[in-house]
Amino acid sequence: QSALTQPPSASGSPGQSVTISCTGTSSDVGGYNYVSWYQQHPGKAPKLMIYEVNKRPSGVPDRFSGSKSGNTASLTVSGLQAEDEADYYCSAYAGRNTWVFGTGTRVTVL
Amino acid sequence: EVQLVESGGGLIQSGGSLRLSCAASGFTVTSNYMSWVRQAPGKGLEWVSVIYIGGSTYYADSVKGRFTISRDNSKNTLYLHMNSLRDEDTAVYYCAKGTNSGLAFEYWGQGTLVTVAS
């Protein structure tokens, strides 16, 4: 149950796009289409932004999109806004009724 | 409206026990899988445990044999019983409601802090 690998930080100017990668193995990210992404502002609970690789829950702006290729998933935030500045975590179902989270990426809006 | 409210955290000595509660409203805890996820201070998220609709339970290796997840249908509450606590169990513990599909965590509580002191 090793954590999925994410870059520690990412940044972009308002209006630009930022993409965060999430690398796992064939036992988690690559093994199932059950990758999700969470946004967490300081001192707050995580919020689900993407599930099943590329589906958005109701209320999540379509500026947020997800994809997957092999053992690596990605979250893209287009049209960056100030309120997008937060920590982002990926998560994947890892089989045998367990889940694994990523190491987290801090997104800074310049 | 779905709400999850955790309680029961606090300062506990290493080797001690604690029970966390997660009171649910706006849905029933038996209607979907429920999980506990923790976050050590300044660190990332770590999945801890899950209980499915049918009552089956599963744990991360780091807590297996020490933690027990359960629920009380009459109180619509999820629990996490924690025994043999260690310094590395210090974290904010969140309860989370699973999605109807996709094996993700749709709603989260505000978290409760557990601090284990040696």
Side-chain angles (χ1 to χ4, degrees), chain A residues 38-62:
Chain A
Y38 302 86
Q39 177 191 66
Q40 186 180 35
H41 287 109
K44 300 295 187 181
K47 175 186 177 183
L48 178 65
M49 304 302 284
I50 295 286
Y51 67 102
E52 281 187 71
V53 178
N54 56 15
K55 296 180 180 178
R56 282 187 313 276
S58 173
V60 173
D62 60 6

Side-chain angles (χ1 to χ4, degrees), chain A residues 90-106:
Chain A
C90 61
S91 179
Y93 178 69
R96 293 185 295 175
N97 301 292
T98 64
W99 282 256
V100 61
F101 281 90
T103 50
T105 298
R106 176 150 297 175

